[in-house]
Amino acid sequence: MGLEVDLPGNDIDDIEDLISSDDIKPRERYENKKSVTVRAKRRAQIKPASDNDEKTPQPQKTIYESVIPGTQKVYVKTWGCAHNNSDSEYMAGQLAAYGYNLSGKDDADLWLLNSCTVKNPSEDTFRNEIESGMRSGKHVVVAGCVPQGAPKADYLRGLSVIGVQQIDRVVEVVEETLKGHSVRLLQNRKVHGRRVAGAPLSLPKVRKNPLIEIISINSGCLNQCTYCKTKHARGDLASYPPAEIVERARQSFDEGCCEIWLTSEDTGAYGRDIGSSLPELLWQLVEVIPENCMLRVGMTNPPYILEHLEEVAKVLQHPRVYAFLHVPVQSGSDSVLGEMKREYCRKDFEHVVDFLRARVPGLTIATDIICGFPTETEDDFEETMTLCAKHRFPSLFINQFFPRPGTPAAKMERIPANLVKKRTKRLTDLFYSYEPYAGREGQVYEVLVTEISHDKQHYVGHNKSYEQVLLPMRDNLLGTRVRVRITSTSKFSMMAEILDEERDWTRCDNNNKAVTTECLTQSRGQRFMGIALLVGALAFLLHLLLKFVSSQSK
């Protein structure tokens, strides 16, 4: 039988008694929240029946008066670079930690769409996905560079928006959106009046690949490229402190990651705003990378790595750092580079390539080319062709020029589309005319296995040069370092057989540390529990003894 307690104010007969006429109204509650637009309540209108009523009606969004974590599902979709993917992992991590269920698009109550603004086709896909979500009766929240760079776009009207520096507020945006409100958070993040890189790196994450941690080391850049829209979204350079990045790396390895990718709009410019530098950061990170784990340095533009070439070469030689660098050149013509405002010339780029290749054994350099920039002549394009033919880059990302609204290049007169396609095909044909891995059959490498191939038929490992090696899908192979022998090659990868027995596969040291730490924690916990029980028993016996003595004295 329960005990009934009469407490002050315990006179509520019905749940509605919790609300009085004097209480603050929902609209008043949101008056001080400038970023929230409260949904308008509309009276349902009764329309006469018509022949059109036989058609399948569009599903309507469910408006939740209150949101209980764990009862709604969220679908997260990402376009674009590693930086965008890292942002999505952070947002998914916060939603999951709060209690939301991450699901597929059909089951979800809300779609969180994180966009890329580099290319027009990506933005078109983003717009189509928004429209698809609305037609399907889903709540939609948009994030990333597109809404940050062009928040007044017609197709974003009425939608909730999370700015690139506000991803740590995703939970409140999702909650308000599910209630039918529109939230827009596009402000720059500042600490003590100074702009910072973004949300804290210590936030929870749901990684797309549990073995790979993507760390954005800075946001924005120092360039003013005439074709680039990303600057509009990410702004000027803002770097995270080295200590915060190093601590995030430690945390990631403790959570079982084997590989770290450093990412940003320009990793080479890191630290210039806070009195640090990329080499300084890399040497600090190397100290915390466990044995058999690896670090991959992200994209760097040529101007900001030129002064660090000696130190960068030394870091790339380190056994726990991939001998890989992504250095976009965009054009082989000095004239076009000047019109792009890339702040370097062809000679500078070739100096970066030649210097690093001479000092870093097996170095892989990836680069990007834009075909058909408005001022590009046939002679300009021929210079791009000779550059690529000379260096035979194993990874070459070829893009056709697309004018991004609001950029200086968008106002330039465009080259005819058929000419751009012709140049793109010529460069593509050149790229496919050589095979960088030809003749590697029989060579033996150590590879770190961290991914599944796009066709889901192989595991993917990378050697020190970050070259892709496809392996049979053996149990327990992911997250290990193994010796392999190359059996065949293709344009983009090598096929290999595993030389080691499973007992000889090497796992990252951090996994062993995690197990050891867990065991230590359990043993300490058991020891403390034993002590607590002993103290409790002694206290109980002492209490009985005192009670007995007291009764005897009476």
Side-chain angles (χ1 to χ4, degrees):
M1 187 172 179
L3 179 66
E4 186 173 333
V5 182
D6 188 17
L7 296 174
N10 191 22
D11 54 356
I12 298 174
D13 296 322
D14 191 276
I15 190 68
E16 292 182 359
D17 292 334
L18 286 168
I19 304 171
S20 77
S21 59
D22 297 327
D23 286 340
I24 190 169
K25 303 297 186 297
R27 184 170 295 278
E28 296 168 353
R29 191 185 325 130
Y30 288 105
E31 277 183 352
N32 66 335
K33 296 187 177 183
K34 305 299 183 184
S35 302
V36 180
T37 302
V38 182
R39 62 185 167 89
K41 291 192 175 181
R42 298 174 183 170
R43 296 181 180 275
Q45 296 182 350
I46 301 175
K47 297 181 180 180
S50 67
D51 295 338
N52 293 331
D53 291 342
E54 295 179 4
K55 296 181 180 178
T56 304
Q58 294 283 347
Q60 296 296 311
K61 291 183 293 188
T62 302
I63 303 298
Y64 300 88
E65 294 299 332
S66 64
V67 176
I68 302 172
T71 57
Q72 286 85 37
K73 298 177 182 177
V74 179
Y75 165 67
V76 181
K77 171 73 174 177
T78 312
W79 291 266
C81 63
H83 197 162
N84 253 23
N85 278 278
S86 179
D87 286 351
S88 288
E89 291 178 351
Y90 274 126
M91 289 190 284
Q94 293 169 85
L95 292 170
Y98 192 70
Y100 286 104
N101 298 305
L102 304 177
S103 73
K105 62 194 305 183
D106 294 334
D107 297 334
D109 302 287
L110 179 144
W111 289 6
L112 172 58
L113 307 177
N114 190 8
S115 60
C116 173
T117 191
V118 172
K119 301 177 189 175
N120 198 60
S122 298
E123 186 168 338
D124 290 341
T125 305
F126 175 60
R127 183 189 297 112
N128 293 338
E129 196 76 350
I130 291 172
E131 293 171 355
S132 174
M134 302 296 283
R135 286 196 305 269
S136 302
K138 309 293 184 182
H139 294 274
V140 176
V141 174
V142 295
C145 294
V146 170
Q148 182 75 56
K152 296 182 180 179
D154 287 342
Y155 66 93
L156 298 176
R157 189 172 299 159
L159 294 178
S160 289
V161 178
I162 302 173
V164 294
Q165 290 206 317
Q166 300 290 333
I167 60 172
D168 57 332
R169 299 179 66 183
V170 63
V171 169
E172 63 180 283
V173 174
V174 165
E175 187 173 1
E176 295 300 335
T177 304
L178 287 167
K179 293 176 184 177
H181 305 151
S182 175
V183 187
R184 294 201 157 207
L185 302 176
L186 294 163
Q187 306 91 330
N188 283 326
R189 182 173 296 277
K190 294 185 178 181
V191 175
H192 304 305
R194 181 178 175 277
R195 182 172 173 267
V196 295
L201 295 179
S202 57
L203 293 171
K205 257 193 180 188
V206 173
R207 298 181 182 90
K208 184 177 179 181
N209 184 335
L211 299 175
I212 298 175
E213 166 71 4
I214 305 171
I215 303 179
S216 51
I217 61 174
N218 53 269
S219 183
C221 65
L222 295 172
N223 280 16
Q224 295 286 346
C225 301
T226 55
Y227 58 83
C228 185
K229 183 82 170 178
T230 307
K231 178 85 170 190
H232 294 211
R234 299 280 183 180
D236 290 325
L237 178 71
S239 304
Y240 284 100
E244 188 173 351
I245 298 168
V246 171
E247 184 53 38
R248 181 69 204 187
R250 287 183 196 271
Q251 179 185 340
S252 304
F253 288 125
D254 287 342
E255 292 172 359
C257 290
C258 298
E259 195 169 285
I260 282 184
W261 296 356
L262 301 185
T263 185
S264 74
E265 284 64 58
D266 188 351
T267 58
Y270 171 80
R272 286 172 173 257
D273 58 318
I274 58 172
S276 184
S277 68
L278 180 63
E280 182 180 319
L281 172 65
L282 294 177
W283 285 123
Q284 291 185 46
L285 283 169
V286 162
E287 294 298 316
V288 302
I289 302 173
E291 195 68 32
N292 301 310
C293 295
M294 295 298 287
L295 170 69
R296 193 189 82 175
V297 182
M299 185 272 287
T300 176
N301 285 310
Y304 306 111
I305 198 175
L306 279 166
E307 67 187 73
H308 300 309
L309 285 180
E310 195 75 54
E311 284 299 302
V312 168
K314 291 177 183 176
V315 174
L316 294 178
Q317 293 175 54
H318 193 282
R320 293 194 290 276
V321 180
Y322 285 119
F324 170 86
L325 204 59
H326 180 193
V327 189
V329 64
Q330 306 300 7
S331 175
S333 162
D334 285 348
S335 172
V336 173
L337 290 173
E339 294 289 344
M340 290 178 170
K341 289 194 175 179
R342 290 291 287 169
E343 299 183 15
Y344 59 89
C345 61
R346 172 175 175 153
K347 184 179 179 181
D348 293 331
F349 173 78
E350 292 199 84
H351 175 60
V352 171
V353 174
D354 294 338
F355 185 96
L356 293 177
R357 279 182 170 174
R359 286 161 179 77
V360 184
L363 176 69
T364 296
I365 289 186
T367 196
D368 301 4
I369 296 291
I370 295 175
C371 286
F373 187 79
T375 64
E376 183 184 74
T377 65
E378 282 298 329
D379 288 341
D380 292 328
F381 181 69
E382 285 302 325
E383 291 189 61
T384 296
M385 290 287 291
T386 60
L387 177 73
C388 294
K390 175 182 177 182
H391 295 286
R392 296 167 68 92
F393 302 103
S395 293
L396 181 63
F397 304 99
I398 304 170
N399 304 291
Q400 293 184 24
F401 171 78
F402 285 102
R404 307 303 295 118
T407 62
K411 301 174 183 177
M412 300 178 182
E413 185 178 350
R414 295 183 65 181
I415 295 172
N418 63 329
L419 187 55
V420 176
K421 290 179 180 178
K422 180 180 175 182
R423 291 176 184 174
T424 303
K425 185 178 184 308
R426 283 188 60 201
L427 185 56
T428 302
D429 289 344
L430 170 64
F431 176 57
Y432 277 91
S433 68
Y434 58 88
E435 294 202 3
Y437 308 131
R440 302 275 195 98
E441 291 85 356
Q443 292 196 14
V444 175
Y445 297 106
E446 265 200 351
V447 299
L448 179 60
V449 187
T450 55
E451 300 177 63
I452 300 173
S453 62
H454 292 299
D455 62 8
K456 313 295 183 187
Q457 301 299 310
H458 303 89
Y459 282 141
V460 179
H462 292 96
N463 60 12
K464 177 69 166 69
S465 301
Y466 202 69
E467 295 167 331
Q468 184 170 262
V469 180
L470 303 181
L471 301 168
M473 299 186 79
R474 298 266 298 274
D475 291 341
N476 305 316
L477 186 59
L478 276 175
T480 66
R481 181 183 289 277
V482 295
R483 285 188 317 125
V484 302
R485 181 187 293 117
I486 305 303
T487 56
S488 63
T489 66
S490 65
K491 172 65 179 174
F492 297 102
S493 62
M494 295 174 276
M495 293 282 294
E497 59 182 356
I498 302 169
L499 296 179
D500 300 326
E501 296 295 329
E502 183 172 346
R503 64 176 179 271
D504 298 320
W505 297 351
T506 307
R507 293 198 170 270
C508 298
D509 275 359
N510 66 300
N511 292 328
N512 297 328
K513 288 177 183 175
V515 172
T516 305
T517 303
E518 186 179 352
C519 293
L520 285 172
T521 303
Q522 288 177 352
S523 63
R524 286 173 185 161
Q526 290 167 355
R527 186 164 65 250
F528 292 144
M529 180 65 76
I531 294 171
L533 289 171
L534 180 60
V535 171
L538 289 172
F540 179 70
L541 290 172
L542 182 62
H543 173 71
L544 289 177
L545 180 62
L546 290 172
K547 191 174 182 181
F548 174 75
V549 171
S550 176
S551 64
Q552 289 297 315
S553 63
K554 290 180 180 178

